């Protein structure tokens, strides 16, 4: 094990817990107990309060003393942010917690949620294995009713499962307590929540980081965090159990509009193989039912407007192929047709047509190669004929299309010539 990995293995995790409701100490105690129960043994809890009185702050400090913290833990630290006034100041609380951190690793936990015992150990192991700046685990939603006798859980379910990694740039699939960041490798300017935001603030925080650095989601299907969804609709999120007020709907609509504006300035880099996987994933969702919104393709177009790792970076190419047609076809559609073979003159499985240079009108598409082309087989001197593809697609065709073939193992091959 390298020295850097050994250092990471023993690094301090600073966990920021935002707390604004003095009357909810019982919920805070469950969150803190879940941190104390971590199998990873170097954690610094930072509880950030919003304009608490001296009496309420003392109550939190007393609770912290009652938690059986492991001897290897640091703190906990209680930070009371004053002068904020009434309202929801969760972004300011997060920033105060980040500023107070001592650890090289950063995590978050809301006071009404919990994490499972191996959560931090798993997140750190993935950072060690991958060298990424961020790692993620999965989340269970806990449908909770607050009763006179305490919280009653009516059901649990895994959320955000079966998601493609890059769907994150369409919609958030990582609750705030499901990730860990390696802060010494992240630009300090990005380790800051946008002040004034009370909705999607954690998503926007992650968007800015993950568009710049590599991150790992291999354990995204392993649920090691629990997210409390209150049946009475008192979560900030829009609960499926509530009839949300006009005010709440309006606040979320404004947040979504703000997100749409921010996405226009975010460039996402991914390999051609990853792009292909994302497109195939979205295609499968549409074929298997209405799991996702119909405008996935539109979101993909805007997300990847200058996103692709340059196709010119591909080390393997094929001289065999032709993009014969890529032109408007009817109202609001375009047609793509041609053929492509691998370097060994064998048929490939599918083809990605895209551009490698910024173009907000470009729509990357993936098409199955399943058309018989005897003329191509004859020209290549092989009995194989399944080299062709043809497809009608919504939108406008790319201005400078690039053809990339994908074999059965997901390996991409850039076409070196196109007619």
């Amino acid at each position: 094990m390298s020295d850097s990995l050994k250092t990471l293995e023993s690094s301090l995790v600073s966990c920021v817990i935002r707390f604004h409701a003095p009357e909810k100490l019982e919920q805070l105690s469950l969150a803190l107990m879940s941190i104390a129960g971590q199998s990873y043994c170097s954690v610094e809890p930072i509880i950030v309060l919003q304009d608490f009185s001296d009496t309420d702050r003392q109550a939190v400090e007393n609770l912290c003393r009652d938690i059986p913290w492991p001897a290897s833990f640091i703190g906990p630290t209680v930070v009371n942010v004053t002068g904020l006034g009434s309202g929801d100041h969760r972004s300011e609380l997060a920033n105060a917690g980040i500023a107070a951190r001592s650890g090289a690793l950063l995590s978050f936990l809301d006071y009404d949620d919990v994490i499972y015992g191996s959560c931090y150990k798993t997140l750190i192991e993935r950072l060690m294995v991958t060298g990424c700046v961020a790692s993620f685990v999965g989340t269970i939603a806990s449908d909770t009713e607050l009763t006179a006798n305490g919280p009653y859980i009516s059901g649990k379910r895994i959320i955000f499962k079966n998601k493609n990694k890059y769907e994150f740039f369409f919609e958030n699939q990582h609750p705030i307590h499901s990730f860990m960041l390696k802060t010494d490798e992240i630009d300090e300017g990005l380790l800051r929540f946008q002040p004034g935001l009370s909705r999607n603030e954690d998503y926007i925080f992650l968007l800015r980081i993950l568009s710049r650095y590599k991150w790992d989601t291999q354990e995204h299907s392993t649920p090691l965090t629990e997210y409390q969804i209150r049946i009475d609709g008192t979560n900030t999120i829009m609960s499926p159990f509530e009839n949300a007020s006009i005010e709440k709907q309006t606040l979320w609509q404004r947040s979504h509009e703000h997100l749409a504006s921010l996405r226009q300035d975010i460039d996402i880099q991914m390999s051609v193989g990853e792009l292909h996987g994302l497109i195939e994933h979205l295609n499968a969702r549409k074929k298997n039912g209405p799991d996702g919104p119909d405008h996935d393709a539109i979101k993909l177009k805007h997300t990847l407007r200058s996103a692709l790792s340059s196709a010119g970076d591909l080390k393997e190419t094929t001289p065999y192929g032709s993009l014969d047609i890529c032109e408007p076809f009817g109202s609001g559609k375009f047609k793509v047709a041609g053929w492509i073979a691998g370097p060994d003159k064998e048929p490939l499985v599918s083809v990605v047509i895209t551009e490698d240079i910024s173009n907000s009108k470009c729509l990357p598409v993936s098409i199955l190669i399943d058309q018989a082309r005897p003329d191509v087989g004859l020209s290549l001197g092989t009995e194989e004929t399944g080299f062709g593809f043809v497809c009608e697609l919504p939108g406008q065709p790319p201005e400078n299309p690039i053809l990339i073939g994908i074999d059965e193992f997901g390996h991409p091959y850039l076409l070196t010539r196109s007619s």
Side-chain angles (χ1 to χ4, degrees), residues 147-183:
T147 71
N149 297 319
Y152 171 74
I153 297 174
S154 59
K156 294 185 178 184
R157 64 194 185 281
I158 300 175
I159 55 177
F160 305 121
K161 60 181 179 180
N162 302 322
K163 291 281 190 179
N164 179 279
K165 175 179 180 178
Y166 290 95
E167 279 187 277
F168 166 77
F169 293 104
F170 304 158
E171 57 184 349
N172 194 9
Q173 58 196 36
H174 301 303
I176 195 169
H177 55 321
S178 68
F179 62 87
M180 184 173 289
L181 301 175
K182 196 190 305 180
T183 61

Side-chain angles (χ1 to χ4, degrees), residues 8 20 122 155 187 224 238 286 354 383-384:
L8 183 59
H20 68 278
T122 302
D187 184 338
L224 294 177
M238 298 279 282
K286 292 178 181 177
T354 185
E383 295 182 358
E384 298 284 354

Side-chain angles (χ1 to χ4, degrees), residues 18 24 95 102-103 105 116 127 131 171-172 195 199 201 204 207 229 232 252 293 306 332 339 341 361 374 381 385 390:
R18 302 173 292 185
K24 296 184 177 179
N95 287 336
S102 302
L105 301 175
Y116 298 164
L127 293 177
E171 57 184 349
N172 194 9
R199 284 157 178 77
E201 80 289 345
I204 291 171
L207 272 175
I229 307 295
D232 63 5
W252 274 107
S306 57
W339 66 274
K361 297 180 180 180
T385 63
V390 60

